Amino acid sequence: GILNQLPALKKFDGAAMLETLKARTLIIHAEDDGVVPFGNLGVTKRIKPDAQTHVFKDGGHFFFVGQGLRTVEAVDAFLGP
């Protein structure tokens, strides 16, 4: 299950991938994410300063479950018409 994946997730560093990403980027994060610290958003923005961000006050790591409609609205706004 997910608990078995936590050690691997803690070792994962996606910074190198972000540096090579050429596509427009939307970063969605919840302040109360218990898996990826909210402070990582600042690190990500330093690596990819042109990325757009959308922050939820709550919703945890799986914000898209409890904040489904708001997540879709954020993605729709990012993608535009």
Side-chain angles (χ1 to χ4, degrees), residues 38 44 51 54 58 71 74 78:
F38 187 69
T44 304
H54 187 88
D58 56 21
T71 301
F78 172 74

Side-chain angles (χ1 to χ4, degrees), residues 2-57:
I2 187 100
L3 293 178
N4 294 330
Q5 296 174 5
L6 287 176
L9 183 59
K10 289 182 186 262
K11 293 178 185 176
F12 177 75
D13 181 4
M17 289 189 306
L18 277 175
E19 292 171 351
T20 64
L21 189 61
K22 305 251 188 278
R24 285 187 326 133
T25 305
L26 172 64
I27 303 166
I28 303 177
H29 207 307
E31 291 179 7
D32 67 344
D33 190 326
V35 178
V36 178
F38 187 69
N40 282 16
L41 180 59
V43 173
T44 304
K45 283 293 288 181
R46 279 193 295 281
I47 295 168
K48 187 91 172 131
D50 59 334
Q52 291 185 26
T53 58
H54 187 88
V55 175
F56 291 119
K57 184 150 190 74

